[in-house]
Short mmCIF file of all heavy atoms in Angstrom, two decimals:
data_model
loop_
_atom_site.label_atom_id
_atom_site.label_comp_id
_atom_site.label_asym_id
_atom_site.label_seq_id
_atom_site.Cartn_x
_atom_site.Cartn_y
_atom_site.Cartn_z
N MET A 9 -9.80 5.01 -161.80
CA MET A 9 -10.55 5.76 -160.78
C MET A 9 -10.22 7.25 -160.74
O MET A 9 -10.91 8.02 -160.08
CB MET A 9 -10.32 5.14 -159.39
CG MET A 9 -10.80 3.71 -159.27
SD MET A 9 -9.45 2.53 -159.52
CE MET A 9 -8.48 2.68 -158.03
N ARG A 10 -9.15 7.65 -161.43
CA ARG A 10 -8.80 9.07 -161.48
C ARG A 10 -8.21 9.40 -162.83
O ARG A 10 -7.37 8.67 -163.34
CB ARG A 10 -7.80 9.44 -160.37
CG ARG A 10 -7.51 10.93 -160.32
CD ARG A 10 -6.64 11.33 -159.13
NE ARG A 10 -6.65 12.78 -158.98
CZ ARG A 10 -5.78 13.61 -159.59
NH1 ARG A 10 -4.82 13.10 -160.35
NH2 ARG A 10 -5.87 14.91 -159.43
N ASN A 204 -17.75 0.17 -148.17
CA ASN A 204 -18.21 1.47 -148.65
C ASN A 204 -17.48 1.91 -149.91
O ASN A 204 -17.62 3.04 -150.35
CB ASN A 204 -18.03 2.52 -147.55
CG ASN A 204 -16.63 2.50 -146.95
OD1 ASN A 204 -15.74 1.81 -147.46
ND2 ASN A 204 -16.43 3.25 -145.87
N ARG A 205 -16.73 1.03 -150.48
CA ARG A 205 -15.88 1.22 -151.66
C ARG A 205 -14.77 2.24 -151.44
O ARG A 205 -14.18 2.75 -152.39
CB ARG A 205 -16.69 1.55 -152.92
CG ARG A 205 -16.04 0.91 -154.15
CD ARG A 205 -16.92 0.84 -155.36
NE ARG A 205 -16.31 -0.03 -156.36
CZ ARG A 205 -16.83 -0.28 -157.55
NH1 ARG A 205 -17.98 0.26 -157.92
NH2 ARG A 205 -16.23 -1.08 -158.40
N MET A 206 -14.50 2.50 -150.19
CA MET A 206 -13.28 3.24 -149.85
C MET A 206 -12.11 2.26 -149.86
O MET A 206 -12.27 1.08 -150.17
CB MET A 206 -13.45 3.91 -148.48
CG MET A 206 -14.55 4.95 -148.43
SD MET A 206 -14.18 6.48 -149.31
CE MET A 206 -13.27 7.37 -148.06
N PHE A 235 -10.72 0.80 -155.29
CA PHE A 235 -11.66 1.66 -154.57
C PHE A 235 -12.29 2.65 -155.55
O PHE A 235 -11.74 2.94 -156.61
CB PHE A 235 -10.97 2.40 -153.42
CG PHE A 235 -9.74 3.17 -153.83
CD1 PHE A 235 -9.82 4.35 -154.53
CD2 PHE A 235 -8.47 2.69 -153.50
CE1 PHE A 235 -8.69 5.05 -154.91
CE2 PHE A 235 -7.32 3.39 -153.86
CZ PHE A 235 -7.43 4.57 -154.57
N CYS A 236 -13.45 3.16 -155.20
CA CYS A 236 -14.09 4.23 -155.97
C CYS A 236 -14.86 5.06 -154.95
O CYS A 236 -16.04 4.84 -154.72
CB CYS A 236 -15.01 3.68 -157.06
SG CYS A 236 -15.65 4.93 -158.18
N ALA A 237 -14.15 5.97 -154.33
CA ALA A 237 -14.65 6.64 -153.13
C ALA A 237 -15.94 7.40 -153.38
O ALA A 237 -16.01 8.24 -154.27
CB ALA A 237 -13.58 7.61 -152.61
N PRO A 238 -17.00 7.10 -152.59
CA PRO A 238 -18.22 7.90 -152.67
C PRO A 238 -17.95 9.26 -152.04
O PRO A 238 -17.44 9.35 -150.92
CB PRO A 238 -19.22 7.09 -151.83
CG PRO A 238 -18.37 6.32 -150.88
CD PRO A 238 -17.07 6.05 -151.58
N LEU A 239 -18.25 10.31 -152.76
CA LEU A 239 -17.89 11.65 -152.30
C LEU A 239 -19.06 12.35 -151.62
O LEU A 239 -20.19 12.32 -152.10
CB LEU A 239 -17.37 12.48 -153.46
CG LEU A 239 -16.09 11.93 -154.11
CD1 LEU A 239 -15.63 12.84 -155.23
CD2 LEU A 239 -14.99 11.77 -153.07
N ASP A 240 -18.76 12.96 -150.52
CA ASP A 240 -19.75 13.66 -149.71
C ASP A 240 -19.84 15.11 -150.17
O ASP A 240 -18.85 15.85 -150.11
CB ASP A 240 -19.33 13.57 -148.24
CG ASP A 240 -20.43 14.06 -147.29
OD1 ASP A 240 -21.28 14.86 -147.72
OD2 ASP A 240 -20.40 13.64 -146.12
N ARG A 241 -21.01 15.53 -150.62
CA ARG A 241 -21.21 16.90 -151.11
C ARG A 241 -21.91 17.77 -150.08
O ARG A 241 -22.50 18.80 -150.42
CB ARG A 241 -21.99 16.88 -152.42
CG ARG A 241 -21.29 16.09 -153.53
CD ARG A 241 -22.16 16.00 -154.79
NE ARG A 241 -21.53 15.16 -155.79
CZ ARG A 241 -20.59 15.58 -156.66
NH1 ARG A 241 -20.19 16.83 -156.63
NH2 ARG A 241 -20.07 14.74 -157.53
N THR A 242 -21.88 17.33 -148.82
CA THR A 242 -22.55 18.07 -147.75
C THR A 242 -21.51 18.64 -146.80
O THR A 242 -20.34 18.28 -146.85
CB THR A 242 -23.50 17.15 -146.96
OG1 THR A 242 -22.70 16.30 -146.10
CG2 THR A 242 -24.34 16.29 -147.89
N PRO A 243 -21.95 19.51 -145.87
CA PRO A 243 -21.00 20.04 -144.87
C PRO A 243 -20.46 18.96 -143.93
O PRO A 243 -19.49 19.22 -143.21
CB PRO A 243 -21.87 21.05 -144.09
CG PRO A 243 -22.95 21.44 -145.03
CD PRO A 243 -23.25 20.21 -145.82
N ALA A 244 -21.04 17.75 -143.97
CA ALA A 244 -20.57 16.66 -143.11
C ALA A 244 -19.39 15.92 -143.71
O ALA A 244 -18.91 14.94 -143.12
CB ALA A 244 -21.72 15.68 -142.84
N ASN A 245 -18.92 16.34 -144.87
CA ASN A 245 -17.82 15.66 -145.55
C ASN A 245 -16.58 15.57 -144.65
O ASN A 245 -16.01 16.60 -144.27
CB ASN A 245 -17.47 16.42 -146.83
CG ASN A 245 -16.43 15.70 -147.69
OD1 ASN A 245 -15.94 14.63 -147.33
ND2 ASN A 245 -16.09 16.31 -148.81
N PRO A 246 -16.14 14.32 -144.32
CA PRO A 246 -14.94 14.19 -143.48
C PRO A 246 -13.63 14.43 -144.24
O PRO A 246 -12.57 14.49 -143.64
CB PRO A 246 -15.02 12.74 -142.99
CG PRO A 246 -15.75 12.03 -144.08
CD PRO A 246 -16.74 13.02 -144.63
N PHE A 247 -13.74 14.54 -145.57
CA PHE A 247 -12.57 14.78 -146.41
C PHE A 247 -12.82 16.02 -147.26
O PHE A 247 -13.11 15.93 -148.46
CB PHE A 247 -12.30 13.57 -147.30
CG PHE A 247 -12.14 12.28 -146.53
CD1 PHE A 247 -13.15 11.33 -146.52
CD2 PHE A 247 -10.97 12.02 -145.83
CE1 PHE A 247 -13.01 10.15 -145.83
CE2 PHE A 247 -10.82 10.83 -145.13
CZ PHE A 247 -11.84 9.90 -145.12
N PRO A 248 -12.71 17.20 -146.68
CA PRO A 248 -13.09 18.43 -147.39
C PRO A 248 -12.25 18.72 -148.62
O PRO A 248 -12.67 19.48 -149.49
CB PRO A 248 -12.90 19.52 -146.32
CG PRO A 248 -11.99 18.92 -145.30
CD PRO A 248 -12.28 17.46 -145.30
N ASN A 249 -11.07 18.13 -148.74
CA ASN A 249 -10.21 18.39 -149.90
C ASN A 249 -10.28 17.25 -150.92
O ASN A 249 -9.34 17.05 -151.69
CB ASN A 249 -8.77 18.58 -149.44
CG ASN A 249 -8.60 19.78 -148.54
OD1 ASN A 249 -9.21 20.83 -148.79
ND2 ASN A 249 -7.80 19.65 -147.49
N SER A 250 -11.38 16.51 -150.95
CA SER A 250 -11.45 15.31 -151.78
C SER A 250 -11.95 15.56 -153.21
O SER A 250 -11.59 14.83 -154.12
CB SER A 250 -12.36 14.27 -151.12
OG SER A 250 -13.66 14.80 -150.89
N ILE A 251 -12.78 16.57 -153.41
CA ILE A 251 -13.40 16.77 -154.72
C ILE A 251 -12.56 17.72 -155.57
O ILE A 251 -12.26 18.84 -155.16
CB ILE A 251 -14.83 17.32 -154.57
CG1 ILE A 251 -15.70 16.34 -153.77
CG2 ILE A 251 -15.45 17.56 -155.94
CD1 ILE A 251 -17.10 16.85 -153.49
N ASP A 252 -12.21 17.25 -156.75
CA ASP A 252 -11.46 18.07 -157.71
C ASP A 252 -12.47 18.86 -158.54
O ASP A 252 -13.20 18.29 -159.35
CB ASP A 252 -10.62 17.16 -158.61
CG ASP A 252 -9.65 17.95 -159.48
OD1 ASP A 252 -9.83 19.16 -159.63
OD2 ASP A 252 -8.72 17.32 -160.02
N THR A 253 -12.53 20.13 -158.32
CA THR A 253 -13.54 20.97 -158.99
C THR A 253 -13.13 21.37 -160.40
O THR A 253 -13.95 21.87 -161.17
CB THR A 253 -13.81 22.24 -158.17
OG1 THR A 253 -12.58 22.94 -157.98
CG2 THR A 253 -14.41 21.88 -156.81
N LEU A 258 -10.36 14.68 -168.03
CA LEU A 258 -11.48 13.79 -167.71
C LEU A 258 -12.50 13.87 -168.85
O LEU A 258 -13.15 14.90 -169.05
CB LEU A 258 -12.13 14.21 -166.39
CG LEU A 258 -13.22 13.29 -165.82
CD1 LEU A 258 -12.63 11.95 -165.43
CD2 LEU A 258 -13.91 13.94 -164.63
N LYS A 263 -16.27 10.80 -166.80
CA LYS A 263 -17.02 11.55 -165.79
C LYS A 263 -18.33 10.84 -165.47
O LYS A 263 -18.69 10.66 -164.30
CB LYS A 263 -17.27 12.97 -166.27
CG LYS A 263 -17.98 13.87 -165.25
CD LYS A 263 -18.03 15.30 -165.77
CE LYS A 263 -18.64 16.25 -164.73
NZ LYS A 263 -20.08 15.99 -164.53
N LEU A 266 -17.69 7.55 -163.47
CA LEU A 266 -17.41 7.81 -162.06
C LEU A 266 -18.67 8.25 -161.31
O LEU A 266 -18.94 7.79 -160.21
CB LEU A 266 -16.33 8.89 -161.93
CG LEU A 266 -14.91 8.46 -162.30
CD1 LEU A 266 -13.99 9.67 -162.35
CD2 LEU A 266 -14.37 7.44 -161.30
N GLU A 267 -19.45 9.13 -161.93
CA GLU A 267 -20.66 9.61 -161.26
C GLU A 267 -21.68 8.49 -161.10
O GLU A 267 -22.40 8.44 -160.10
CB GLU A 267 -21.25 10.79 -162.04
CG GLU A 267 -20.40 12.04 -161.94
CD GLU A 267 -20.89 13.19 -162.79
OE1 GLU A 267 -21.75 12.96 -163.67
OE2 GLU A 267 -20.41 14.32 -162.59
N HIS A 269 -21.00 5.59 -160.41
CA HIS A 269 -20.51 4.78 -159.29
C HIS A 269 -20.54 5.56 -157.97
O HIS A 269 -19.92 5.15 -157.00
CB HIS A 269 -19.08 4.29 -159.57
CG HIS A 269 -19.02 3.17 -160.56
ND1 HIS A 269 -19.28 3.34 -161.89
CD2 HIS A 269 -18.78 1.84 -160.39
CE1 HIS A 269 -19.17 2.17 -162.52
NE2 HIS A 269 -18.87 1.25 -161.63
N GLY A 270 -21.26 6.67 -157.96
CA GLY A 270 -21.39 7.45 -156.74
C GLY A 270 -20.18 8.29 -156.41
O GLY A 270 -20.00 8.73 -155.27
N SER A 271 -19.34 8.52 -157.39
CA SER A 271 -18.11 9.26 -157.15
C SER A 271 -18.03 10.44 -158.11
O SER A 271 -19.02 10.84 -158.72
CB SER A 271 -16.91 8.32 -157.33
OG SER A 271 -15.71 8.94 -156.91
N SER A 272 -16.86 10.99 -158.23
CA SER A 272 -16.62 12.10 -159.15
C SER A 272 -15.11 12.24 -159.28
O SER A 272 -14.36 11.38 -158.83
CB SER A 272 -17.24 13.39 -158.61
OG SER A 272 -17.09 14.44 -159.55
N ALA A 273 -14.68 13.33 -159.89
CA ALA A 273 -13.25 13.59 -159.97
C ALA A 273 -12.72 13.89 -158.57
O ALA A 273 -13.32 14.66 -157.83
CB ALA A 273 -12.99 14.76 -160.91
N VAL A 274 -11.60 13.25 -158.22
CA VAL A 274 -11.03 13.44 -156.88
C VAL A 274 -9.67 14.11 -156.99
O VAL A 274 -9.00 14.03 -158.01
CB VAL A 274 -10.91 12.10 -156.13
CG1 VAL A 274 -12.28 11.47 -155.92
CG2 VAL A 274 -9.98 11.13 -156.85
N THR A 275 -9.28 14.75 -155.91
CA THR A 275 -8.00 15.45 -155.90
C THR A 275 -6.85 14.44 -155.79
O THR A 275 -7.02 13.32 -155.31
CB THR A 275 -7.92 16.42 -154.71
OG1 THR A 275 -8.03 15.67 -153.50
CG2 THR A 275 -9.02 17.47 -154.79
N PHE A 278 -6.29 13.38 -152.08
CA PHE A 278 -7.24 12.40 -151.57
C PHE A 278 -6.98 11.02 -152.17
O PHE A 278 -6.97 10.00 -151.48
CB PHE A 278 -8.66 12.87 -151.89
CG PHE A 278 -9.75 11.97 -151.38
CD1 PHE A 278 -9.87 11.68 -150.02
CD2 PHE A 278 -10.68 11.43 -152.26
CE1 PHE A 278 -10.89 10.86 -149.55
CE2 PHE A 278 -11.70 10.62 -151.80
CZ PHE A 278 -11.81 10.33 -150.45
N TYR A 279 -6.73 11.00 -153.48
CA TYR A 279 -6.49 9.73 -154.17
C TYR A 279 -5.21 9.07 -153.66
O TYR A 279 -5.16 7.86 -153.46
CB TYR A 279 -6.39 9.99 -155.67
CG TYR A 279 -6.36 8.74 -156.52
CD1 TYR A 279 -7.54 8.08 -156.83
CD2 TYR A 279 -5.16 8.23 -157.00
CE1 TYR A 279 -7.52 6.94 -157.62
CE2 TYR A 279 -5.14 7.10 -157.78
CZ TYR A 279 -6.32 6.45 -158.08
OH TYR A 279 -6.29 5.32 -158.86
N MET A 281 -3.95 9.42 -150.68
CA MET A 281 -4.25 8.91 -149.34
C MET A 281 -4.93 7.54 -149.42
O MET A 281 -4.58 6.61 -148.68
CB MET A 281 -5.15 9.90 -148.59
CG MET A 281 -5.49 9.48 -147.16
SD MET A 281 -6.93 8.35 -147.03
CE MET A 281 -8.27 9.48 -147.47
N LEU A 282 -5.90 7.38 -150.33
CA LEU A 282 -6.60 6.11 -150.49
C LEU A 282 -5.66 5.01 -150.98
O LEU A 282 -5.73 3.86 -150.54
CB LEU A 282 -7.76 6.28 -151.47
CG LEU A 282 -8.89 7.20 -151.03
CD1 LEU A 282 -9.82 7.49 -152.21
CD2 LEU A 282 -9.68 6.61 -149.87
#
Side-chain angles (χ1 to χ4, degrees):
M9 298 97 72
R10 185 173 192 271
N204 50 8
R205 215 164 192 181
M206 297 288 275
F235 53 74
C236 188
L239 297 182
D240 190 336
R241 300 176 185 277
T242 75
N245 186 0
F247 304 105
N249 297 320
S250 57
I251 300 175
D252 189 343
T253 57
L258 187 66
K263 183 173 184 291
L266 288 170
E267 290 175 346
H269 284 71
S271 189
S272 185
V274 298
T275 61
F278 182 58
Y279 189 81
M281 182 275 290
L282 295 169

